[in-house]
Amino acid sequence: MQFPQLSLLFSPSDEVVDITLLVLPEVSLLSLAGTLEPLRAANRASGRNLFRWKLVSPDGEPVTTSSGVPLGVQDGLDPSKVDGALIVLAAFNVDRYLDSDLLGRLRRIAKKGVPIGAVEAGSWVLAWAGLLDGRSATTHWEDLDRFAAAFPEIAVKPDRFVIDGNRFTTGGASPALDMALYLIRKRHGYSLALEVASIFIYEEVRTAADPQRMLSLGTMTWQEPRLSEAIKIMEANIEEPLSIREIAKRVGLKERMLELLFKKVVGVSPRTCYLNMRLKTGRRLVLDTRQSITEIAAQTGFSSASSFARQFKTIFGVSPVSARKRTSPL
């Protein structure tokens, strides 16, 4: 197995890192905070300016975040002013905010040898610019399949964050925090990284290769590892669902015991949990892709489009077609 190479950005150094944060409209405030706040905290905890940053948008105008909060920026993206590192942050409807000019500016920055990263849907931006070709990368877990299908030249991984040479990508807000802590640790040591993590009362620090999860397992992983493993098995078998008996067998439990564990810890039966996972996957495909309802039904393990639509309406209150119409741009 060939492992991704590490960028010099993630190497021990006392040099100050200048980071340009490119934010696109509908960016997640949590992703921005997960990326930026650890760097601020590292400066505060160390008593030195280890990191400097500047917030920019494509045109220098403020952007509206996914929560509707306006976000001011300091400048527009100017390739001549980006030297240290660039991180692209995006979340929803990213394709609406891209044009050939912006992609061209990103390519010019890449030609300078600048380390370039992406958070959440920022990976799509780098991929459209051709800056991830031949590399390993990740994006938010909801988009992994679509991302891999759209960019077969990229080695897509379900990891929380991926570093390959001078490109680095993360799956979202929490993985962005993990990657920021990793950056601090690599450049300035474990002690400072742990101090920064403690500032945010953040103890469940993940490694880069930890997979993103549809459900946040939290302390369940060590409190009841068999239940955690059962959920992981469900996640891995959305298109061709397994029987609850088979899942119980794989984790070393009787079916009845697995039923009791789910109701005690999760609050629902394993069948309900599994069905909800498949329907949430289907809802994402309905809202974010143009695939037919029949195709989506097949990808989420339903025997027919009508069966999928019936269950979808029961859970979400509207039909798949109505849900898609509500989110379609005018």
Side-chain angles (χ1 to χ4, degrees):
M1 178 179 180
Q2 184 177 0
F3 291 92
Q5 297 178 340
L6 287 181
S7 166
L8 290 176
L9 178 66
F10 296 87
S11 301
S13 175
D14 286 328
E15 291 186 11
V16 178
V17 180
D18 287 295
I19 299 178
T20 299
L21 299 163
L22 171 62
V23 292
L24 269 64
E26 297 190 65
V27 66
S28 163
L29 279 171
L30 194 55
S31 288
L32 176 59
T35 304
L36 181 55
E37 284 297 302
L39 308 182
R40 175 202 59 78
N43 287 354
R44 177 173 176 265
S46 67
R48 296 183 292 151
N49 284 328
L50 306 176
F51 303 96
R52 289 190 297 251
W53 52 84
K54 179 171 68 173
L55 214 59
V56 305
S57 66
D59 57 5
E61 294 297 317
V63 301
T64 301
T65 65
S66 59
S67 54
V69 176
L71 181 66
V73 299
Q74 296 159 271
D75 203 351
L77 181 65
D78 183 344
S80 69
K81 297 179 181 179
V82 180
D83 293 308
L86 172 70
I87 301 178
V88 181
L89 297 102
F92 298 99
N93 300 311
V94 63
D95 56 315
R96 298 182 186 176
Y97 309 111
L98 296 181
D99 55 33
S100 59
D101 176 64
L102 177 58
L103 297 179
R105 279 180 280 167
L106 290 171
R107 294 186 190 105
R108 291 200 296 275
I109 292 170
K111 287 181 180 179
K112 296 166 61 176
V114 172
I116 301 178
V119 176
E120 203 166 338
S123 300
W124 288 83
V125 179
L126 298 191
W128 273 315
L131 302 183
L132 296 177
D133 291 358
R135 298 177 184 268
S136 298
T138 192
T139 188
H140 193 278
W141 65 263
E142 289 184 333
D143 291 331
L144 284 171
D145 290 340
R146 282 200 305 136
F147 191 67
F151 305 105
E153 63 276 15
I154 299 173
V156 179
K157 297 179 177 295
D159 302 4
R160 292 176 69 80
F161 64 93
V162 174
I163 303 169
D164 192 341
N166 58 359
R167 301 286 183 272
F168 49 101
T169 51
T170 84
S174 179
L177 175 55
D178 289 330
M179 189 179 69
L181 290 171
Y182 181 81
L183 171 62
I184 294 166
R185 184 167 72 247
K186 284 296 184 181
R187 290 186 72 86
H188 304 289
Y190 274 92
S191 178
L192 181 59
L194 289 173
E195 187 173 356
V196 170
S198 70
I199 289 173
F200 298 105
I201 319 176
Y202 185 66
E203 297 178 355
E204 292 189 7
V205 180
R206 305 290 186 178
T207 67
D210 284 343
Q212 301 175 51
R213 297 294 178 195
M214 292 177 65
L215 293 178
S216 181
L217 301 180
T219 57
M220 188 192 301
T221 300
W222 58 268
Q223 287 182 336
E224 185 42 73
R226 294 171 297 182
L227 184 57
S228 174
E229 185 61 29
I231 290 174
K232 292 177 185 177
I233 291 171
M234 291 177 179
E235 289 181 346
N237 293 274
I238 295 293
E239 187 169 351
E240 297 182 7
L242 302 174
S243 68
I244 302 303
R245 177 174 295 180
E246 175 62 23
I247 294 171
K249 180 180 178 181
R250 291 191 183 191
V251 299
L253 290 172
K254 297 290 187 182
E255 184 176 355
R256 177 61 178 162
M257 180 58 69
L258 187 64
E259 293 270 358
L260 292 173
L261 273 176
F262 262 87
K263 289 179 179 178
K264 178 182 177 181
V265 178
V266 183
V268 297
S269 71
R271 286 177 177 80
T272 298
C273 182
Y274 203 176
L275 176 61
N276 287 343
M277 277 189 199
R278 292 161 53 206
L279 286 170
K280 286 178 181 177
T281 300
R283 183 174 184 269
R284 171 177 57 80
L285 294 172
V286 166
L287 300 181
D288 294 346
T289 76
R290 295 294 96 191
Q291 295 182 32
S292 70
I293 303 303
T294 299
E295 291 172 324
I296 293 172
Q299 289 185 41
T300 50
F302 289 89
S303 58
S304 65
S306 60
S307 175
F308 169 73
R310 186 167 54 251
Q311 295 281 11
F312 188 100
K313 187 171 184 178
T314 298
I315 296 298
F316 301 115
V318 295
S319 70
V321 173
S322 296
R324 176 171 280 176
K325 286 180 179 178
R326 289 183 181 182
T327 59
S328 296
L330 296 177

